[in-house]
Amino acid sequence: MVESNGAELTEHEAELYDRQIRLWGLDSQKRLRSARVLISGTNGLGAEIAKNVILAGVKSVTLLDDRKVSEEDFCSQFLVPQSSVGTNRAEASLTRAQNLNPMVELKADTEPLESKEDAYFKNFDVVCLIGASTAQHLRVNNVCREANVKFFATDVWGMHGYCFADLQKHEFAEDVAKYVVVSKLHEKPKSETVYSTVKCTLEFPPYQSLVDFDCCNTSYARQLKRNGPALPVQRVLQKFRDEEQRDPAYVKREEDLKKLFQLRDTLAPELIPDKSFDHVFAQISPVTAIVGGVTAHEIIKVVSQKERPHRNMFLFNPETCCGFVDIVGADK
């Protein structure tokens, strides 16, 4: 069994989190109660992740964002009031976020992600980056690996979304079912399901494995046929952000689509149809709810060390309106 970290819950906390304790156990809730989480990027996706993590009862959540609230945020960002246009997005999210769970310590950091020293990220147990460039993904991921901090990179572009996890070497407890025959000799066969908790370990590759992944490799053809072009689309959209220093904008739709097609023809020729880029603008609320819910659930599983985490990339396919888990850069 995964060992507890020794944190204790107050009587009020035990009452507040009673349903969760019944679901995943007291030891897991104690681990959650001592976890410090950093969420960089408080757009609609960041708000969804923050909501779920705060309700789970972690120790603290820091919202890091230097951007201002815009009208585009109201597509999916439910933590900022409409009167907050032009103010800092992290600070504008604090009041509603705190009302979700007054027992969680919340902090807004208005400095840019790029300005943060490496030591800053070592103060957390989980770091989740949203809307970051590839350079920042790689930098922060390397810092997290050195400090044994769990790392998540996630994003939503319109109807497309993903979550990448680097948990390094992760230990967790998993309930395994066994069927035991309880009938006696010469009786009708009868069995019962018995659950036992076992300790498991998984190894995760770094974010560099996603950067280096070749979608055109013939070994990926079968997965591409089964799951669709969600992964190649993600790589194209990330490349667009790196080169343009922004995400595709609806007001520049024709210009941005032309750029996306050029990147597609370079990175993933003949793999992505034109229609895949029809809905990559802003953040669509139902998609942020799905991707944000999955990401937050993975953070909760990782911190509580309960249940097997996704290894190592979740992708949402808008063509089927379904999500799937793919293994990128790791042995299956």
Side-chain angles (χ1 to χ4, degrees):
M1 180 68 183
V2 179
E3 295 181 2
S4 173
N5 61 8
E8 296 296 334
L9 300 182
T10 65
E11 183 177 345
H12 181 55
E13 288 172 335
E15 181 180 353
L16 178 65
Y17 303 126
D18 177 67
R19 293 179 65 184
Q20 296 173 191
I21 293 172
R22 293 173 187 270
L23 176 64
W24 51 55
L26 181 60
D27 284 342
S28 293
Q29 188 63 48
K30 287 179 178 180
R31 295 188 184 97
L32 279 168
R33 194 67 189 95
S34 64
R36 301 157 299 169
V37 180
L38 171 66
I39 300 175
S40 174
T42 51
N43 52 21
L45 178 59
E48 189 69 39
I49 296 170
K51 176 201 72 175
N52 292 317
V53 170
I54 290 169
L55 288 173
V58 297
K59 178 181 180 180
S60 67
V61 174
T62 299
L63 304 177
L64 174 65
D65 201 332
D66 66 320
R67 298 188 180 184
K68 306 295 184 183
V69 178
S70 67
E71 291 186 356
E72 185 177 306
D73 286 314
F74 301 134
C75 293
S76 56
Q77 223 290 20
F78 51 83
L79 293 179
V80 296
Q82 293 196 359
S83 60
S84 63
V85 173
T87 63
N88 178 267
R89 204 159 54 176
E91 292 181 331
S93 302
L94 278 183
T95 300
R96 290 182 177 178
Q98 190 68 77
N99 289 338
L100 293 170
N101 190 345
M103 303 190 73
V104 176
E105 301 172 16
L106 291 184
K107 178 184 177 182
D109 192 326
T110 62
E111 295 183 358
L113 172 66
E114 295 80 5
S115 70
K116 292 300 183 183
E117 300 286 343
D118 291 354
Y120 174 80
F121 303 99
K122 298 178 182 180
N123 296 320
F124 302 96
D125 300 295
V126 177
V127 170
C128 180
L129 300 189
I130 304 163
S133 65
T134 297
Q136 290 304 311
H137 280 142
L138 292 171
R139 178 178 78 94
V140 177
N141 182 221
N142 289 335
V143 174
C144 289
R145 290 184 72 86
E146 291 175 2
N148 195 28
V149 175
K150 308 304 183 183
F151 173 84
F152 290 85
T154 181
D155 258 303
V156 166
W157 292 272
M159 293 288 290
H160 295 269
Y162 84 99
C163 170
F164 176 90
D166 176 14
L167 311 181
Q168 299 104 50
K169 185 177 181 179
H170 179 62
E171 295 183 349
F172 60 96
E174 185 176 32
D175 293 332
V176 178
K178 292 183 179 180
Y179 298 96
V180 179
V181 177
V182 295
S183 56
K184 296 181 180 179
L185 190 63
H186 305 304
E187 290 183 348
K188 183 179 179 179
K190 181 180 178 182
S191 62
E192 291 182 353
T193 304
V194 178
Y195 290 92
S196 60
T197 302
V198 297
K199 182 177 178 179
C200 306
T201 303
L202 284 177
E203 297 275 358
F204 287 73
Y207 187 84
Q208 184 69 53
S209 64
L210 175 59
V211 176
D212 295 339
F213 188 78
D214 183 9
C215 296
C216 298
N217 194 301
T218 54
S219 63
Y220 185 65
R222 181 178 297 180
Q223 293 162 268
L224 187 66
K225 184 177 180 180
R226 180 178 67 248
N227 299 325
L231 180 54
V233 169
Q234 186 274 333
R235 302 310 303 143
V236 170
L237 289 167
Q238 184 67 47
K239 186 67 173 178
F240 181 98
R241 175 185 294 163
D242 293 338
E243 293 193 359
E244 301 296 320
Q245 297 184 351
R246 62 176 178 85
D247 288 334
Y250 188 77
V251 294
K252 297 183 178 181
R253 178 183 174 88
E254 296 305 320
E255 175 187 338
D256 287 354
L257 282 175
K258 183 178 179 180
K259 176 67 175 180
L260 288 167
F261 293 155
Q262 290 175 351
L263 292 173
R264 184 241 354 234
D265 294 340
T266 301
L267 298 174
E270 300 182 0
L271 296 183
I272 309 172
D274 290 357
K275 65 178 182 178
S276 294
F277 297 106
D278 286 348
H279 305 289
V280 297
F281 306 98
Q283 289 195 339
I284 307 302
S285 184
V287 181
T288 62
I290 293 169
V291 178
V294 170
T295 304
H297 188 211
E298 289 303 297
I299 292 174
I300 292 169
K301 287 196 295 184
V302 167
V303 171
S304 65
Q305 294 181 272
K306 188 74 173 178
E307 299 183 23
R308 182 177 294 270
H310 290 163
R311 184 173 179 259
N312 54 343
M313 193 168 185
F314 170 85
L315 291 137
F316 181 77
N317 185 349
E319 294 184 7
T320 60
C321 288
C322 292
F324 62 93
V325 178
D326 210 348
I327 299 177
V328 177
D331 295 331
K332 297 183 180 183

